Amino acid sequence: MKKVFITGSSRGIGREIALSLFNLTDYEIIVHGSSSRVPDFVKTNDRFSYFSFDLSEFNYIDRLSNFIISEGVDIFINNAGIYDNPDPANILLINYVSPILILDRIIPHLENRGGSIVNINSLAGIYSNFKESKYCSTKFGMDGY
């Protein structure tokens, strides 16, 4: 059984991706979120597991990367992101810095396994909006990466 790891999947778009994969495939799905509270949909089926990690804490990027490698993840879906935060540095860390640090560490692993990476991004990286410069620049950066 192949394994999928989806960042930012305890709610929103990531949750819907996880549920869609569950309904369409027989993959084992590792759901990621920043809260220590395990989402209800994860508790109800053994094909889901939950990995809690705050992407603004990039001191722990090695822990997350090592987990992805040691678990033999085949597909990495980079979905986590925030639009607004009282601390503007968190927008940069969660939307841009952490994903790049994680991807740089796991790309060799996924290449060796014939795995895949899917980056969920935003048109805000192409079409910026008034008063959204931090968010838009992180999405532009991910597009460039």
Side-chain angles (χ1 to χ4, degrees), residues 1-135:
M1 182 179 292
K2 291 193 176 200
K3 291 185 181 183
V4 179
F5 189 101
I6 310 167
T7 65
S9 53
S10 59
R11 60 187 177 90
I13 293 170
R15 178 183 182 275
E16 295 305 315
I17 292 170
L19 292 172
S20 294
L21 286 172
F22 177 80
N23 290 328
L24 297 175
T25 67
D26 56 351
Y27 291 136
E28 179 181 333
I29 302 162
I30 304 167
V31 177
H32 159 263
S34 60
S35 171
S36 60
R37 185 179 164 274
V38 178
D40 289 340
F41 74 95
V42 172
K43 296 176 188 177
T44 60
N45 194 288
D46 62 356
R47 282 188 24 225
F48 285 116
S49 58
Y50 185 68
F51 188 88
S52 176
F53 181 83
D54 184 347
L55 289 169
S56 68
E57 300 288 333
F58 68 89
N59 296 334
Y60 299 104
I61 294 297
D62 283 335
R63 179 177 157 234
L64 177 59
S65 302
N66 290 337
F67 175 83
I68 290 167
I69 293 166
S70 69
E71 286 295 309
V73 169
D74 300 289
I75 301 169
F76 179 77
I77 301 176
N78 176 39
N79 170 69
I82 59 172
Y83 178 77
D84 196 16
N85 193 282
D87 182 358
N90 281 345
I91 296 171
L92 298 171
L93 291 171
I94 292 169
N95 292 358
Y96 182 68
V97 176
S98 290
I100 287 176
L101 293 175
I102 294 165
L103 290 168
D104 280 350
R105 286 168 174 80
I106 67 169
I107 284 173
H109 160 74
L110 289 170
E111 283 178 334
N112 289 339
R113 293 183 67 81
S116 299
I117 295 170
V118 178
N119 281 315
I120 307 297
N121 208 351
S122 170
L123 285 174
I126 298 170
Y127 306 105
S128 60
N129 297 310
F130 184 67
K131 294 187 179 182
E132 297 178 341
S133 61
K134 287 175 276 314
Y135 177 77

